[in-house]
Amino acid sequence: MGDYKNTIIITGASRGIGKACAEIFAEEGWQVVIGYHKSEVEAKRLEASLLEKGFSVQAIQADVTKQEEVKQMFSKARATFGKVDALVNNAGISQFRLFTDMTEQEWDQMFDIHCKGAFFCTQCALEDMISSKSGSIVNVSSMWGQVGASCEVHYSASKAALIGLTKALAKELGPSNIRVNCIAPGVIETDMMKSVSGEIKQVLCEETPLMRMGSAQEIAKAILFLSSEKASFITGQVLGVNGGFVIG
Ligand code: NAD
């Protein structure tokens, strides 16, 4: 029993916040599945560097919007590590568009990745969690899902939906001792912010009480906390990790 290692699946883990999660969970002794979509080279490189350090990790490909691929990712994870104890629904995209210019395809893609992806992955994870009466799910939303962002209506709406999913699911799964929580990051320096101009980044930093962008590691630490025993009585919550940008 003392040797038991928890297994976690992290989607979108080849870079950014997901990669920081893979690293920190591996360092904390978890068995980690590095879920990736298209970035095979980066995912395999991360897998190799963590294996070299003696950690238990495996990179597994899946587009979270494809149910069959998600099912296969979970089967492969179970074949390597046994049951799945925790899940981080981190995969995401961003896009700046005037609402009036937005296409149906752009709207659907946002909801498919953020909401349907979380739906597919969570259903698979629950196969183990319900029978073992334990588990943790952390959904990565955004502060824009809490307060809305101009020119990101589809992003904000889909991230708000993820908060609703978190709260409802926490109520449904609480009796099975499965916790479901949400992280709402503020402005975090990852590839997702690459398309944002230096000028806008500066304005965002000035609007952040801590006067800077956050790091992927700072989000990963909060996700680790919510996934761990330290958060054993926390469920259905939205934890803002945003330098004070959104308070209350
Ligand atoms: P990122 O672009 O570096 O990482 C996103 C990851 O999601 C990538 O690895 C990408 O391949 C993966 N992904 C996208 N579509 C996928 C799909 N269909 N199937 C599987 N994987 C897919 O950005 P990040 O900043 O690390 O973002 C991680 C999460 O944090 C996202 O959900 C994002 O919305 C959220 N977030 C980021 C910020 C920020 O400022 N960076 C702020 C709030 C919330």
Side-chain angles (χ1 to χ4, degrees):
M1 190 67 191
D3 289 340
Y4 183 77
K5 282 186 166 190
N6 283 305
T7 298
I8 187 160
I9 295 191
I10 303 161
T11 64
S14 63
R15 61 169 196 253
I17 291 169
K19 179 182 179 188
C21 286
E23 290 171 336
I24 200 168
F25 276 91
E27 282 159 15
E28 288 295 313
W30 289 63
Q31 299 179 139
V32 176
V33 172
I34 301 163
Y36 69 94
H37 180 205
K38 293 181 180 154
S39 316
E40 181 163 15
V41 175
E42 290 89 335
K44 295 280 181 196
R45 196 181 297 141
L46 175 62
E47 178 193 60
S49 81
L50 292 173
L51 285 174
E52 210 170 284
K53 291 179 183 160
F55 300 137
S56 304
V57 301
Q58 187 181 12
I60 306 179
Q61 194 277 336
D63 176 346
V64 296
T65 68
K66 307 259 166 59
Q67 193 169 27
E68 212 33 62
E69 292 187 21
V70 170
K71 281 183 178 170
Q72 281 184 18
M73 172 171 70
F74 275 79
S75 311
K76 287 179 190 164
R78 287 188 180 105
T80 309
F81 296 127
K83 83 179 170 71
V84 174
D85 304 284
L87 168 69
V88 181
N89 286 311
N90 167 73
I93 56 164
S94 66
Q95 183 187 41
F96 297 93
R97 274 282 180 282
L98 272 178
F99 183 67
T100 44
D101 291 342
M102 209 171 275
T103 66
E104 181 182 0
Q105 191 254 335
E106 288 166 344
W107 177 272
D108 285 347
Q109 193 188 24
M110 227 21 111
F111 276 79
D112 281 354
I113 296 175
H114 297 148
C115 301
K116 208 193 264 185
F119 164 56
F120 288 154
C121 291
T122 303
Q123 268 197 339
C124 283
L126 289 178
E127 284 173 33
D128 291 330
M129 293 180 183
I130 289 175
S131 56
S132 64
K133 271 198 162 267
S134 73
S136 160
I137 295 154
V138 176
N139 296 318
V140 182
S141 178
S142 163
M143 66 177 176
W144 302 133
Q146 298 173 293
V147 297
S150 166
C151 297
E152 290 187 87
V153 172
H154 52 354
Y155 181 84
S156 304
S158 64
K159 291 296 193 180
L162 198 51
I163 291 174
L165 184 155
T166 302
K167 292 180 177 179
L169 202 56
K171 290 186 178 177
E172 190 166 322
L173 297 175
S176 299
N177 192 35
I178 298 163
R179 299 180 301 104
V180 190
N181 289 294
C182 196
I183 289 278
V187 185
I188 310 302
E189 198 158 17
T190 67
D191 284 2
M192 196 167 269
M193 290 299 293
K194 264 187 182 165
S195 62
V196 177
S197 72
E199 210 177 315
I200 290 180
K201 277 186 193 163
Q202 200 183 326
V203 170
L204 289 167
C205 288
E206 279 162 16
E207 282 182 46
T208 303
L210 289 180
M211 303 293 289
R212 64 174 176 86
M213 286 192 271
S215 69
Q217 288 72 22
E218 286 173 309
I219 303 301
K221 280 190 263 181
I223 294 174
L224 176 69
F225 165 69
L226 285 177
S227 307
S228 76
E229 263 303 297
K230 289 182 183 153
S232 55
F233 202 49
I234 301 178
T235 195
Q237 303 304 307
V238 182
L239 179 58
V241 187
N242 58 33
F245 199 114
V246 173
I247 297 179

